[in-house]
Coordinates of all heavy atoms in Angstrom, one line a residue:
M143 N 140.3 89.6 108.3 CA 141.4 89.0 107.5 C 140.9 87.9 106.6 O 140.1 87.1 107.0 CB 142.5 88.4 108.5 CG 143.5 87.7 107.7 SD 144.3 86.4 108.6 CE 145.7 87.0 109.3
L144 N 141.3 87.9 105.4 CA 140.9 86.9 104.4 C 141.8 85.7 104.5 O 143.0 85.8 104.6 CB 141.2 87.5 103.0 CG 140.0 87.3 102.1 CD1 139.3 88.7 102.0 CD2 140.4 86.9 100.7
L145 N 141.2 84.5 104.6 CA 141.9 83.3 104.6 C 142.0 82.6 103.2 O 143.0 82.1 102.8 CB 141.3 82.3 105.6 CG 141.4 82.6 107.0 CD1 140.8 81.5 107.9 CD2 142.8 82.8 107.5
L146 N 140.9 82.6 102.5 CA 140.8 82.0 101.2 C 139.9 82.9 100.3 O 139.0 83.5 100.8 CB 140.1 80.6 101.2 CG 141.0 79.5 101.9 CD1 140.1 78.2 102.0 CD2 142.3 79.3 101.2
G147 N 140.3 82.9 99.0 CA 139.5 83.7 98.1 C 140.2 85.0 97.8 O 141.3 85.3 98.3
P148 N 139.5 85.8 97.0 CA 138.2 85.6 96.4 C 138.1 84.6 95.3 O 139.1 84.4 94.6 CB 137.8 87.0 96.0 CG 139.1 87.6 95.6 CD 140.1 87.0 96.5
M149 N 136.9 84.0 95.1 CA 136.7 83.2 94.0 C 135.3 83.5 93.4 O 134.4 83.7 94.2 CB 136.7 81.7 94.4 CG 136.5 80.7 93.3 SD 136.8 79.0 93.8 CE 135.4 78.6 94.7
L150 N 135.3 83.7 92.1 CA 134.0 83.9 91.4 C 133.3 82.6 91.4 O 133.8 81.6 90.8 CB 134.2 84.5 90.0 CG 134.7 85.9 90.0 CD1 135.0 86.3 88.5 CD2 133.6 86.8 90.5
R151 N 132.1 82.6 91.9 CA 131.3 81.3 92.0 C 130.3 81.3 90.8 O 130.0 80.2 90.4 CB 130.5 81.2 93.3 CG 131.4 81.1 94.5 CD 132.0 79.8 94.6 NE 131.1 78.8 94.5 CZ 131.0 77.6 95.1 NH1 132.0 77.3 95.9 NH2 130.1 76.8 94.8
H152 N 129.8 82.4 90.5 CA 128.7 82.4 89.4 C 128.7 83.8 88.7 O 128.7 84.8 89.5 CB 127.4 82.1 90.0 CG 126.2 82.0 89.1 ND1 126.1 81.0 88.2 CD2 125.3 82.9 88.8 CE1 125.0 81.2 87.4 NE2 124.5 82.3 87.8
V153 N 128.7 83.8 87.4 CA 128.6 85.1 86.7 C 127.5 85.0 85.7 O 127.5 84.0 84.9 CB 130.0 85.4 86.1 CG1 129.9 86.7 85.3 CG2 131.1 85.5 87.1
T154 N 126.7 86.0 85.6 CA 125.7 86.1 84.5 C 126.0 87.4 83.8 O 126.9 88.2 84.1 CB 124.3 86.2 85.1 OG1 124.0 87.4 85.8 CG2 124.0 85.0 86.1
P155 N 125.2 87.8 82.8 CA 125.4 89.1 82.1 C 125.2 90.3 83.1 O 125.8 91.3 82.8 CB 124.3 89.1 81.1 CG 124.0 87.7 80.7 CD 124.2 86.9 82.1
T156 N 124.5 90.2 84.2 CA 124.3 91.3 85.0 C 124.6 91.1 86.5 O 124.3 92.0 87.4 CB 122.8 91.8 84.9 OG1 121.9 90.7 85.4 CG2 122.5 92.2 83.5
S157 N 125.2 89.9 86.9 CA 125.5 89.7 88.3 C 126.7 88.8 88.4 O 127.1 88.1 87.5 CB 124.3 89.1 89.0 OG 124.0 87.8 88.6
A158 N 127.3 88.8 89.6 CA 128.4 87.9 90.0 C 128.3 87.5 91.4 O 127.9 88.4 92.2 CB 129.7 88.5 89.6
T159 N 128.7 86.3 91.8 CA 128.8 85.9 93.2 C 130.2 85.7 93.5 O 130.9 84.9 92.8 CB 127.9 84.7 93.4 OG1 126.6 84.9 93.0 CG2 128.0 84.3 94.9
V160 N 130.7 86.3 94.6 CA 132.1 86.2 95.0 C 132.1 85.5 96.4 O 131.4 85.8 97.3 CB 132.8 87.6 95.1 CG1 134.2 87.5 95.6 CG2 132.7 88.3 93.8
W161 N 132.9 84.4 96.5 CA 133.1 83.6 97.7 C 134.4 83.9 98.4 O 135.4 84.1 97.7 CB 133.0 82.1 97.3 CG 133.3 81.2 98.4 CD1 132.4 80.6 99.2 CD2 134.6 80.7 98.8 NE1 133.0 79.8 100.1 CE2 134.4 79.8 99.9 CE3 135.9 80.9 98.4 CZ2 135.4 79.1 100.5 CZ3 136.9 80.2 99.0 CH2 136.6 79.3 100.1
V162 N 134.4 84.0 99.7 CA 135.6 84.2 100.5 C 135.5 83.4 101.8 O 134.4 83.1 102.2 CB 136.0 85.6 100.8 CG1 136.2 86.4 99.5 CG2 134.9 86.2 101.7
E163 N 136.6 83.1 102.4 CA 136.6 82.6 103.8 C 137.5 83.6 104.6 O 138.5 84.1 104.2 CB 137.3 81.2 103.9 CG 137.3 80.7 105.3 CD 138.0 79.4 105.5 OE1 138.4 78.7 104.6 OE2 138.0 79.0 106.7
T164 N 136.9 84.0 105.7 CA 137.6 85.0 106.6 C 138.0 84.3 107.9 O 137.6 83.2 108.2 CB 136.7 86.2 107.0 OG1 135.5 85.7 107.7 CG2 136.2 86.9 105.7
A165 N 138.9 85.0 108.6 CA 139.4 84.4 109.9 C 138.4 84.4 111.0 O 138.5 83.6 111.9 CB 140.7 85.2 110.3
S166 N 137.4 85.3 111.0 CA 136.4 85.4 112.1 C 135.1 86.0 111.5 O 135.2 86.4 110.3 CB 137.0 86.3 113.2 OG 137.3 87.6 112.6
P167 N 134.0 86.0 112.2 CA 132.9 86.6 111.7 C 133.1 88.0 111.2 O 133.8 88.8 111.9 CB 131.9 86.6 112.9 CG 132.4 85.5 113.7 CD 133.9 85.5 113.5
A168 N 132.5 88.4 110.1 CA 132.8 89.7 109.5 C 131.8 90.1 108.5 O 130.9 89.3 108.1 CB 134.2 89.7 108.8
T169 N 131.9 91.4 108.0 CA 131.1 91.8 106.8 C 132.1 92.0 105.7 O 133.1 92.6 105.8 CB 130.5 93.2 107.1 OG1 129.5 93.0 108.2 CG2 129.7 93.7 105.9
V170 N 131.7 91.4 104.6 CA 132.6 91.3 103.4 C 131.9 92.2 102.3 O 130.7 92.1 102.1 CB 132.8 89.9 102.9 CG1 133.6 89.9 101.6 CG2 133.4 89.1 103.9
E171 N 132.7 93.1 101.7 CA 132.2 94.0 100.7 C 132.9 93.8 99.4 O 134.1 93.8 99.3 CB 132.3 95.4 101.1 CG 131.7 96.5 100.2 CD 131.7 97.9 100.6 OE1 131.7 98.1 101.9 OE2 131.9 98.7 99.8
V172 N 132.1 93.8 98.3 CA 132.7 93.8 96.9 C 131.8 94.8 96.1 O 130.6 94.6 96.0 CB 132.6 92.4 96.3 CG1 133.1 92.4 94.8 CG2 133.4 91.4 97.1
L173 N 132.5 95.8 95.4 CA 131.8 96.7 94.6 C 130.5 97.3 95.2 O 129.5 97.4 94.6 CB 131.4 96.0 93.2 CG 132.6 95.7 92.4 CD1 132.2 94.9 91.1 CD2 133.3 96.9 91.9
G174 N 130.6 97.7 96.5 CA 129.5 98.3 97.1 C 128.4 97.4 97.6 O 127.5 97.9 98.3
R175 N 128.6 96.1 97.4 CA 127.6 95.2 98.0 C 128.2 94.4 99.1 O 129.4 94.1 99.0 CB 127.2 94.2 96.9 CG 126.1 94.7 95.9 CD 126.5 95.9 95.2 NE 125.7 96.2 94.0 CZ 126.2 96.7 92.9 NH1 127.5 97.0 92.9 NH2 125.4 97.0 91.9
S176 N 127.5 94.1 100.1 CA 128.1 93.4 101.3 C 127.3 92.3 101.7 O 126.1 92.1 101.4 CB 128.3 94.4 102.4 OG 127.0 94.9 102.9
A177 N 127.9 91.4 102.5 CA 127.3 90.2 103.1 C 128.0 89.9 104.4 O 129.2 90.0 104.5 CB 127.3 89.0 102.1
R178 N 127.2 89.4 105.3 CA 127.8 88.9 106.6 C 128.3 87.5 106.4 O 127.7 86.7 105.6 CB 126.8 88.9 107.7 CG 126.4 90.3 108.2 CD 127.5 90.9 109.1 NE 127.9 90.1 110.3 CZ 129.0 90.3 110.9 NH1 129.8 91.2 110.6 NH2 129.3 89.5 111.9
T179 N 129.3 87.1 107.1 CA 129.7 85.7 107.0 C 128.7 84.8 107.7 O 128.0 85.2 108.5 CB 131.1 85.5 107.6 OG1 131.1 86.0 109.0 CG2 132.2 86.3 106.8
F180 N 128.8 83.5 107.3 CA 128.1 82.5 108.0 C 129.1 81.5 108.4 O 130.2 81.4 107.8 CB 127.0 81.9 107.1 CG 127.4 81.3 105.8 CD1 127.8 80.0 105.7 CD2 127.6 82.1 104.7 CE1 128.2 79.4 104.5 CE2 128.0 81.6 103.5 CZ 128.3 80.3 103.4
T181 N 128.8 80.7 109.4 CA 129.8 79.8 110.0 C 129.4 78.4 109.8 O 128.2 78.0 110.1 CB 130.0 80.1 111.5 OG1 130.3 81.4 111.7 CG2 131.0 79.2 112.2
V182 N 130.3 77.5 109.4 CA 130.2 76.1 109.2 C 131.4 75.4 109.8 O 132.5 75.7 109.4 CB 130.0 75.7 107.7 CG1 129.8 74.2 107.6 CG2 128.8 76.4 107.1
A183 N 131.2 74.6 110.8 CA 132.2 73.8 111.5 C 133.4 74.8 111.9 O 134.6 74.4 111.7 CB 132.7 72.7 110.6
G184 N 133.1 75.9 112.3 CA 134.1 76.8 112.8 C 134.8 77.7 111.7 O 135.7 78.5 112.0
H185 N 134.4 77.5 110.5 CA 134.9 78.4 109.4 C 133.9 79.4 109.0 O 132.7 79.2 109.1 CB 135.2 77.4 108.2 CG 136.3 76.4 108.4 ND1 137.6 76.7 108.1 CD2 136.2 75.2 109.0 CE1 138.3 75.6 108.4 NE2 137.5 74.7 109.0
H186 N 134.4 80.6 108.6 CA 133.6 81.8 108.3 C 133.6 82.1 106.8 O 134.7 82.4 106.3 CB 134.0 82.9 109.2 CG 134.2 82.6 110.6 ND1 133.1 82.5 111.5 CD2 135.2 82.3 111.3 CE1 133.5 82.1 112.6 NE2 134.8 82.0 112.6
Y187 N 132.5 81.9 106.2 CA 132.4 82.1 104.7 C 131.4 83.3 104.4 O 130.5 83.5 105.2 CB 131.8 80.9 104.1 CG 132.7 79.6 104.3 CD1 132.2 78.7 105.2 CD2 133.9 79.4 103.7 CE1 132.9 77.5 105.5 CE2 134.6 78.3 104.0 CZ 134.1 77.3 104.9 OH 134.8 76.2 105.2
A188 N 131.7 83.9 103.3 CA 130.7 84.9 102.8 C 130.5 84.7 101.3 O 131.4 84.3 100.6 CB 131.2 86.3 103.0
L189 N 129.2 84.8 100.9 CA 128.9 84.9 99.4 C 128.3 86.2 99.2 O 127.2 86.6 99.7 CB 127.9 83.8 99.1 CG 128.3 82.4 99.2 CD1 127.1 81.4 99.1 CD2 129.3 82.1 98.0
V190 N 129.0 87.1 98.4 CA 128.6 88.4 98.1 C 128.0 88.4 96.7 O 128.8 88.1 95.7 CB 129.8 89.4 98.2 CG1 129.3 90.8 97.9 CG2 130.4 89.3 99.6
V191 N 126.8 88.7 96.6 CA 126.1 88.8 95.3 C 126.2 90.3 94.8 O 125.6 91.1 95.5 CB 124.7 88.3 95.3 CG1 124.0 88.4 94.0 CG2 124.6 86.9 95.9
V192 N 126.8 90.5 93.7 CA 127.0 91.8 93.1 C 126.0 91.8 91.9 O 126.2 91.1 90.9 CB 128.4 92.1 92.6 CG1 128.5 93.5 92.0 CG2 129.4 91.8 93.8
R193 N 125.0 92.7 92.0 CA 123.9 92.8 91.0 C 124.1 94.1 90.2 O 124.8 95.0 90.6 CB 122.5 92.7 91.7 CG 122.3 91.4 92.2 CD 120.8 91.3 92.7 NE 120.4 89.9 93.0 CZ 120.6 89.4 94.2 NH1 121.1 90.1 95.2 NH2 120.2 88.1 94.4
D194 N 123.3 94.3 89.2 CA 123.1 95.5 88.4 C 124.4 95.8 87.7 O 124.8 96.9 87.5 CB 122.7 96.7 89.3 CG 121.4 96.4 89.9 OD1 120.5 95.8 89.3 OD2 121.2 96.8 91.1
L195 N 125.2 94.8 87.2 CA 126.3 94.9 86.4 C 125.9 95.1 85.0 O 124.8 94.6 84.6 CB 127.3 93.7 86.6 CG 127.9 93.6 88.0 CD1 128.6 92.2 88.1 CD2 128.7 94.7 88.5
E196 N 126.8 95.6 84.1 CA 126.5 95.7 82.7 C 127.1 94.4 82.0 O 128.1 94.0 82.3 CB 127.2 96.9 82.1 CG 126.6 98.2 82.6 CD 127.1 99.4 81.9 OE1 127.3 99.3 80.6 OE2 127.4 100.4 82.5
P197 N 126.3 93.9 81.0 CA 126.7 92.7 80.3 C 128.0 93.0 79.5 O 128.2 94.2 79.1 CB 125.6 92.4 79.4 CG 124.4 93.1 79.9 CD 124.9 94.3 80.6
D198 N 128.7 92.0 79.3 CA 129.9 92.0 78.4 C 130.9 93.1 78.8 O 131.4 93.9 78.0 CB 129.5 92.2 76.9 CG 130.6 91.8 76.0 OD1 131.5 91.0 76.3 OD2 130.6 92.3 74.8
R199 N 131.2 93.1 80.1 CA 132.2 94.1 80.6 C 133.3 93.4 81.4 O 133.1 92.4 82.0 CB 131.5 95.1 81.6 CG 130.4 96.0 80.9 CD 131.1 97.1 80.1 NE 130.1 98.0 79.5 CZ 129.7 98.0 78.3 NH1 130.2 97.2 77.4 NH2 128.8 98.9 77.9
V200 N 134.3 94.1 81.6 CA 135.4 93.7 82.5 C 135.5 94.7 83.6 O 135.8 95.9 83.4 CB 136.8 93.7 81.8 CG1 137.9 93.3 82.7 CG2 136.7 92.7 80.6
I201 N 135.2 94.3 84.9 CA 135.0 95.2 86.0 C 136.0 94.9 87.1 O 135.9 93.8 87.7 CB 133.6 95.0 86.6 CG1 132.5 95.3 85.5 CG2 133.3 96.0 87.7 CD1 131.3 94.5 85.6
P202 N 137.0 95.8 87.3 CA 138.0 95.6 88.4 C 137.2 95.6 89.7 O 136.3 96.4 89.9 CB 138.9 96.8 88.3 CG 138.6 97.4 86.9 CD 137.2 97.0 86.6
Y203 N 137.7 94.8 90.7 CA 137.2 94.9 92.0 C 138.2 94.6 93.1 O 139.2 94.1 92.9 CB 136.0 93.8 92.1 CG 136.5 92.4 92.2 CD1 136.6 91.8 93.4 CD2 136.7 91.7 91.0 CE1 137.0 90.5 93.5 CE2 137.1 90.4 91.1 CZ 137.3 89.8 92.3 OH 137.7 88.4 92.4
E204 N 137.8 95.0 94.3 CA 138.6 94.8 95.6 C 137.7 94.1 96.5 O 136.4 94.2 96.4 CB 139.0 96.1 96.2 CG 140.0 96.9 95.3 CD 140.3 98.2 95.9 OE1 139.7 98.7 96.9 OE2 141.3 98.8 95.5
V205 N 138.2 93.4 97.5 CA 137.5 92.8 98.6 C 137.9 93.5 99.9 O 139.0 93.7 100.2 CB 137.8 91.3 98.7 CG1 137.0 90.7 99.9 CG2 137.4 90.6 97.4
H206 N 136.8 94.0 100.6 CA 137.0 94.6 101.9 C 136.4 93.7 103.0 O 135.3 93.3 102.8 CB 136.4 96.0 102.0 CG 137.0 97.0 101.1 ND1 136.8 97.0 99.7 CD2 138.0 97.9 101.3 CE1 137.5 98.0 99.1 NE2 138.3 98.6 100.1
V207 N 137.1 93.5 104.1 CA 136.6 92.8 105.2 C 136.5 93.8 106.4 O 137.5 94.4 106.8 CB 137.4 91.6 105.6 CG1 136.9 90.9 106.8 CG2 137.5 90.6 104.4
D208 N 135.3 94.0 106.9 CA 135.0 94.9 108.0 C 135.7 96.3 107.6 O 136.3 96.9 108.5 CB 135.5 94.4 109.3 CG 134.7 93.3 109.9 OD1 133.5 93.3 109.5 OD2 135.1 92.5 110.7
G209 N 135.6 96.7 106.4 CA 136.0 98.1 106.0 C 137.5 98.2 105.6 O 137.9 99.2 105.2
T210 N 138.2 97.1 105.8 CA 139.6 97.1 105.4 C 139.9 96.3 104.1 O 139.4 95.2 104.0 CB 140.5 96.5 106.5 OG1 140.3 97.2 107.7 CG2 142.0 96.5 106.2
R211 N 140.6 97.0 103.2 CA 140.9 96.2 101.9 C 141.8 95.1 102.2 O 142.9 95.2 102.8 CB 141.6 97.2 100.9 CG 141.7 96.5 99.5 CD 142.4 97.4 98.6 NE 143.8 97.1 98.7 CZ 144.8 97.5 97.9 NH1 144.4 98.2 96.9 NH2 146.0 97.2 98.1
C212 N 141.3 93.9 101.7 CA 142.1 92.7 101.9 C 142.6 92.0 100.6 O 143.4 91.1 100.6 CB 141.3 91.6 102.7 SG 141.0 92.1 104.4
W213 N 141.9 92.5 99.5 CA 142.3 91.9 98.2 C 142.2 93.1 97.2 O 141.2 93.7 97.2 CB 141.4 90.8 97.9 CG 141.8 90.1 96.6 CD1 141.3 90.4 95.3 CD2 142.8 89.1 96.4 NE1 142.0 89.6 94.4 CE2 142.9 88.8 95.1 CE3 143.7 88.5 97.3 CZ2 143.8 87.9 94.6 CZ3 144.5 87.5 96.8 CH2 144.6 87.3 95.5
P214 N 143.1 93.3 96.3 CA 144.4 92.5 96.2 C 145.4 92.8 97.3 O 145.4 93.9 97.9 CB 144.9 92.9 94.8 CG 144.3 94.2 94.6 CD 143.0 94.3 95.3
H215 N 146.2 91.8 97.6 CA 147.2 92.0 98.6 C 148.3 93.0 98.2 O 148.8 93.8 99.0 CB 147.9 90.7 99.0 CG 146.9 89.7 99.7 ND1 146.4 89.9 100.9 CD2 146.5 88.6 99.2 CE1 145.6 88.9 101.2 NE2 145.6 88.0 100.2
D216 N 148.7 92.9 96.9 CA 149.8 93.7 96.4 C 149.3 94.7 95.4 O 148.9 94.2 94.3 CB 150.8 92.8 95.8 CG 152.1 93.4 95.3 OD1 152.0 94.7 95.2 OD2 153.0 92.7 95.0
S217 N 149.3 95.9 95.7 CA 148.7 96.9 94.7 C 149.6 97.2 93.5 O 149.2 97.9 92.6 CB 148.5 98.3 95.4 OG 149.8 98.8 95.9
T218 N 150.7 96.5 93.4 CA 151.5 96.7 92.2 C 151.1 95.7 91.1 O 151.5 95.9 89.9 CB 153.0 96.4 92.4 OG1 153.2 95.0 92.8 CG2 153.6 97.3 93.5
L219 N 150.2 94.7 91.4 CA 149.7 93.8 90.4 C 148.4 94.4 89.8 O 147.7 95.1 90.5 CB 149.4 92.4 91.1 CG 150.6 91.7 91.7 CD1 150.2 90.5 92.5 CD2 151.7 91.4 90.6
P220 N 148.1 93.9 88.6 CA 146.8 94.3 88.1 C 145.6 93.9 89.0 O 145.7 92.9 89.6 CB 146.7 93.6 86.7 CG 148.0 93.0 86.5 CD 148.8 92.9 87.8
P221 N 144.5 94.6 88.9 CA 143.4 94.3 89.8 C 142.7 93.0 89.3 O 142.8 92.6 88.2 CB 142.5 95.5 89.7 CG 142.8 96.1 88.4 CD 144.3 95.8 88.2
S222 N 142.1 92.3 90.3 CA 141.2 91.2 89.9 C 140.0 91.8 89.1 O 139.6 92.9 89.4 CB 140.7 90.5 91.1 OG 141.8 89.8 91.7
V223 N 139.4 91.0 88.3 CA 138.2 91.5 87.5 C 137.1 90.5 87.4 O 137.3 89.3 87.6 CB 138.6 91.9 86.0 CG1 139.7 93.0 86.0 CG2 139.1 90.7 85.3
I224 N 135.9 91.0 87.3 CA 134.7 90.3 87.0 C 134.4 90.5 85.5 O 134.4 91.6 85.1 CB 133.5 90.7 87.8 CG1 133.8 90.4 89.3 CG2 132.2 90.0 87.3 CD1 132.8 91.0 90.2
R225 N 134.3 89.4 84.7 CA 134.0 89.5 83.3 C 132.6 89.0 83.1 O 132.3 87.8 83.3 CB 134.9 88.7 82.4 CG 136.3 89.1 82.4 CD 137.2 88.2 81.6 NE 138.6 88.4 81.8 CZ 139.3 89.4 81.1 NH1 138.7 90.1 80.2 NH2 140.6 89.5 81.4
T226 N 131.7 90.0 83.0 CA 130.3 89.6 82.8 C 130.1 88.9 81.4 O 130.8 89.3 80.5 CB 129.3 90.8 83.0 OG1 129.7 91.8 82.1 CG2 129.4 91.3 84.4
S227 N 129.2 88.0 81.3 CA 128.9 87.3 80.2 C 127.9 87.9 79.2 O 127.4 89.0 79.5 CB 128.5 85.9 80.5 OG 127.2 86.0 81.2
V228 N 127.8 87.4 78.1 CA 126.8 87.8 77.1 C 125.9 86.6 76.9 O 126.4 85.5 76.8 CB 127.4 88.2 75.8 CG1 126.4 88.6 74.8 CG2 128.4 89.3 76.0
D229 N 124.6 86.8 76.9 CA 123.6 85.7 76.7 C 123.9 84.7 75.6 O 123.8 83.5 75.7 CB 122.2 86.2 76.6 CG 121.6 86.7 77.9 OD1 122.0 86.2 78.9 OD2 120.8 87.6 77.8
H230 N 124.4 85.2 74.5 CA 124.6 84.3 73.3 C 126.0 83.7 73.3 O 126.3 83.0 72.3 CB 124.3 85.1 72.0 CG 125.2 86.3 71.8 ND1 124.9 87.5 72.4 CD2 126.3 86.4 71.1 CE1 125.9 88.3 72.0 NE2 126.7 87.7 71.2
H231 N 126.8 83.9 74.3 CA 128.1 83.3 74.4 C 128.1 82.3 75.6 O 128.5 82.7 76.7 CB 129.2 84.3 74.6 CG 129.5 85.2 73.4 ND1 129.8 86.5 73.5 CD2 129.3 84.9 72.1 CE1 129.9 87.0 72.3 NE2 129.6 86.1 71.4
P232 N 127.7 81.0 75.3 CA 127.7 80.1 76.5 C 129.1 79.8 77.0 O 130.1 79.7 76.2 CB 127.1 78.8 75.9 CG 127.3 78.9 74.4 CD 127.4 80.4 74.1
V233 N 129.2 79.5 78.3 CA 130.5 79.1 78.9 C 130.4 77.6 79.0 O 129.5 77.0 79.4 CB 130.6 79.7 80.3 CG1 131.8 79.1 81.0 CG2 130.6 81.2 80.2
R234 N 131.5 76.9 78.5 CA 131.5 75.5 78.5 C 132.1 74.9 79.7 O 131.7 73.9 80.3 CB 132.3 75.0 77.2 CG 131.5 75.4 76.0 CD 132.3 74.9 74.8 NE 131.6 75.6 73.6 CZ 131.2 74.9 72.6 NH1 131.4 73.6 72.5 NH2 130.6 75.5 71.6
I235 N 133.2 75.5 80.2 CA 133.8 75.0 81.4 C 134.7 76.1 82.0 O 135.3 76.9 81.3 CB 134.7 73.8 81.2 CG1 135.2 73.3 82.6 CG2 135.9 74.0 80.3 CD1 135.8 71.8 82.5
L236 N 134.7 76.2 83.3 CA 135.5 77.1 84.0 C 136.3 76.4 85.1 O 135.8 75.4 85.7 CB 134.7 78.2 84.7 CG 134.0 79.3 83.8 CD1 133.2 80.1 84.7 CD2 135.0 80.1 83.1
F237 N 137.5 76.8 85.3 CA 138.3 76.1 86.4 C 139.2 77.1 87.1 O 139.7 78.1 86.5 CB 139.3 75.1 85.7 CG 140.3 74.5 86.7 CD1 139.8 73.4 87.5 CD2 141.5 74.9 86.8 CE1 140.7 72.9 88.4 CE2 142.4 74.4 87.7 CZ 142.0 73.3 88.5
G238 N 139.2 77.0 88.4 CA 140.0 77.9 89.2 C 140.8 77.2 90.2 O 140.3 76.1 90.7
S239 N 141.9 77.7 90.6 CA 142.7 77.1 91.6 C 143.5 78.1 92.4 O 143.9 79.1 91.9 CB 143.7 76.1 91.0 OG 144.6 75.6 91.9
C240 N 143.6 77.9 93.7 CA 144.4 78.8 94.5 C 145.9 78.6 94.1 O 146.7 79.3 94.4 CB 144.2 78.5 96.0 SG 142.5 78.8 96.5

């Protein structure tokens, strides 16, 4: 079960890192890449690094925890996306909020 996230932590032209917090130790999967959670002060986090993406693309994604889709919660909404960057388009500031 997802408690917090997903949140895009870092995006390059060919990779993205997705952060989540889960209710218990688990394996988290995004776009076929997976990571085990790590525990800090009783909280379970995962950083899933998705590599080999194409530059300057909009890539829809889902989050699976232990094989079960946990994000998006509501399939009637548009999917979450990763927007890969282009080397010559610098990002000045990004802000995200739950």
Side-chain angles (χ1 to χ4, degrees):
M143 175 210 263
L144 230 102
L145 293 181
L146 293 173
M149 183 170 73
L150 285 173
R151 295 288 308 214
H152 182 75
V153 178
T154 73
T156 59
S157 69
T159 302
V160 179
W161 173 93
V162 300
E163 181 180 357
T164 61
S166 59
T169 298
V170 178
E171 183 180 329
V172 176
L173 292 173
R175 279 54 164 219
S176 63
R178 287 288 302 161
T179 56
F180 57 93
T181 304
V182 177
H185 295 267
H186 309 284
Y187 305 104
L189 290 168
V190 181
V191 180
V192 182
R193 291 187 171 89
D194 301 321
L195 299 174
E196 291 187 42
D198 197 24
R199 297 284 186 253
V200 177
I201 305 150
Y203 72 95
E204 298 177 343
V205 176
H206 294 80
V207 176
D208 287 336
T210 300
R211 187 183 87 168
C212 293
W213 186 264
H215 295 295
D216 183 347
S217 62
T218 64
L219 299 174
S222 295
V223 297
I224 295 170
R225 294 178 192 274
T226 55
S227 59
V228 179
D229 283 331
H230 61 276
H231 291 146
V233 175
R234 295 177 189 235
I235 187 168
L236 291 174
F237 174 77
S239 174
C240 295

